[in-house]
Amino acid sequence: MSNMSKSSAASPLWQRIKHSGIETLAVMGMAKNTGKTVALNHVLAQAHAAQVAVGVTSIGRDGEDRDQVFLFPKPPVLIWPGSLVATARDTLVRSKLRFKLLGNTGIDSPMGEIVIVKALEYGEMEIAGASRSSDQLKVIQRLRQAGCELVVLDGALGRSHHASPAIADGVILATGAAIGGGIQDVIRKTRDRLAILGIARVPAELGARVQDLFNKGGVAIWARDGEPLFQAEIASLNAASVLMGFAEQDVGTIAVSGAVGRQLWRAMSSLGAMKPGLNLVVADGTKLFVDALDVQAFCKQGGSLYGYRSIRILGLTLNPFSPMGGSFDGAEFLASSIDSFPGYDVCDVVLNEQQLEQGVDHDVATSA
């Protein structure tokens, strides 16, 4: 069956995306070879079949012929006719489809200016988009102005800020056997990642207090009674020593707009041990570069961790195959994952597509 005919029936994952009302969707992977590009291509095919005007871009470079880490062949990004793509100019010479240049963005990248093109036929493209969040927002705006109803963001290895709710309305997380270990190991690692991405949104009263900090950027500290103690537009990398300078004061809330790595987390965790009930507010779960066990320990000692914005996970996609060995039985992996993630929509898009081709009731392959 051709690629065109495969996309003719709506999958459960696409139905969830369409009915969610989102305008920007990020597709991110737990690791290389977890099926992110397959999930991305599934969404693009389904959007084309539903006649939804789609724009596609990437955070960094993606769409290479081979995985640049392990050198395994990887699936290409497949673009449908009529879709708009925002990519670096240098990638266009390798595109395997005809396209029309619609306009420039004025945003530079290591591979040339980011430009917007319209695909005139179905084919493969290498996509290298803007790296900075501020530039991503500009690109998304341009794609929407050009008529895109849905903008899909593809992420590269080690980059998750495209999934931030400051950029994307919803997220699909791809996980799979390539993470390593058995099925239960993969489920545990995925659960830990979801625990970080899914931190609760800050309560309204506390959110109002920290709003100015997240508008301006930097670090801020408040006493337990709400009295401001410190606020400055400093990088989070330099914040640990600043925070520890308030160890003798009655600190009640700390807000950090930037990335939270291990050094900063140790400082905040140390303060949490000294200040029971300490509130930590970060931008969202994509800014946390710590382990789920670290977060659990902080909360067990009485602290509360919030995101200024919450991340909306629209679905988990599964890849039972690992090119490094240790692949799973697809049906077993799917069943175990559905049981393990009752609060999430879980699917294997390859199984879904096979069932759509065969006319099988696909409800058995997804959680409700």
Side-chain angles (χ1 to χ4, degrees):
M1 183 174 288
S2 70
N3 283 313
M4 292 292 289
S5 58
K6 277 185 181 180
S7 65
S8 59
S11 73
L13 178 61
W14 171 250
Q15 291 174 18
R16 289 192 292 272
I17 295 169
K18 187 176 181 181
H19 294 148
S20 69
I22 67 168
E23 295 181 337
T24 309
L25 174 70
V27 183
M28 63 184 297
M30 284 279 295
K32 282 286 188 180
N33 302 300
T34 53
K36 173 177 63 67
T37 304
V38 172
L40 172 71
N41 287 338
H42 177 82
V43 171
L44 298 182
Q46 291 282 309
H48 175 76
Q51 297 184 318
V52 171
V54 168
V56 189
T57 191
S58 173
I59 184 82
R61 184 186 182 196
D62 216 332
E64 313 97 324
D65 291 335
R66 287 181 177 269
D67 182 316
Q68 296 301 301
V69 177
F70 299 108
L71 300 182
F72 294 120
K74 58 171 288 186
V77 177
L78 301 174
I79 303 298
W80 294 80
S83 298
L84 303 189
V85 180
T87 187
R89 190 180 292 275
D90 292 356
T91 67
L92 296 177
V93 297
R94 292 182 290 278
S95 294
K96 299 178 181 178
L97 55 78
R98 292 183 301 114
F99 59 83
K100 177 182 179 181
L101 179 64
L102 296 185
N104 306 323
T105 66
I107 297 170
D108 292 324
S109 81
M111 300 182 72
E113 182 186 7
I114 306 299
V115 296
I116 296 176
V117 301
K118 181 176 182 179
L120 301 178
E121 61 185 351
Y122 175 82
E124 302 176 9
M125 284 195 77
E126 177 185 326
I127 304 175
S131 295
R132 295 190 303 180
S133 297
S134 58
D135 288 339
Q136 276 284 2
L137 290 172
K138 293 176 184 176
V139 169
I140 291 168
Q141 183 180 25
R142 289 291 301 274
L143 288 169
R144 286 179 176 162
Q145 289 172 344
C148 294
E149 301 170 60
L150 177 67
V151 177
V152 183
L153 307 173
D154 189 15
L157 179 64
R159 297 174 178 175
S160 60
H161 61 274
H162 72 303
S164 166
I167 297 177
D169 304 324
V171 175
I172 292 173
L173 179 64
T175 187
I179 294 175
I183 287 178
Q184 292 307 315
D185 295 310
V186 170
I187 287 173
R188 174 182 55 79
K189 293 172 184 176
T190 304
R191 184 182 290 117
D192 287 349
R193 183 62 174 152
L194 288 170
I196 295 292
L197 293 174
I199 57 174
R201 185 170 186 174
V202 66
E205 183 178 351
L206 185 55
R209 182 184 305 167
V210 303
Q211 180 178 0
D212 183 65
L213 179 279
F214 286 99
N215 286 340
K216 295 179 178 178
V219 176
I221 305 170
W222 290 264
R224 198 180 301 270
D225 63 4
E227 183 72 18
L229 297 176
F230 175 85
Q231 181 169 334
E233 295 179 37
I234 60 174
S236 55
L237 287 173
N238 304 323
S241 58
V242 172
L243 295 184
M244 294 311 298
F246 289 84
E248 301 301 319
Q249 300 195 42
D250 190 24
V251 176
T253 299
I254 298 171
V256 179
S257 68
V260 178
R262 292 206 164 275
Q263 183 179 6
L264 179 54
W265 180 264
R266 281 195 295 268
M268 295 193 296
S269 186
S270 296
L271 285 174
M274 295 185 283
K275 321 285 182 184
L278 179 66
N279 294 315
L280 298 183
V281 187
V282 299
D284 57 72
T286 67
K287 300 292 189 181
L288 281 175
F289 295 91
V290 298
D291 295 331
L293 289 176
D294 297 325
V295 173
Q296 292 173 14
F298 175 78
C299 294
K300 282 182 179 179
Q301 66 187 18
S304 296
L305 174 65
Y306 300 110
Y308 183 64
R309 302 177 182 89
S310 58
I311 296 173
R312 185 178 181 184
I313 305 289
L314 286 178
L316 301 179
T317 63
L318 310 178
N319 180 13
F321 174 74
S322 171
M324 296 163 284
S327 297
F328 304 147
D329 176 82
E332 180 185 358
F333 185 31
L334 179 59
S336 296
S337 298
I338 289 174
D339 289 343
S340 300
F341 300 106
Y344 295 91
D345 291 307
V346 183
C347 68
D348 180 327
V349 297
V350 174
L351 284 179
N352 278 172
E353 289 176 354
Q354 291 172 351
Q355 290 165 343
L356 289 172
E357 288 181 37
Q358 298 164 5
V360 177
D361 182 358
H362 50 238
D363 288 342
V364 299
T366 183
S367 64

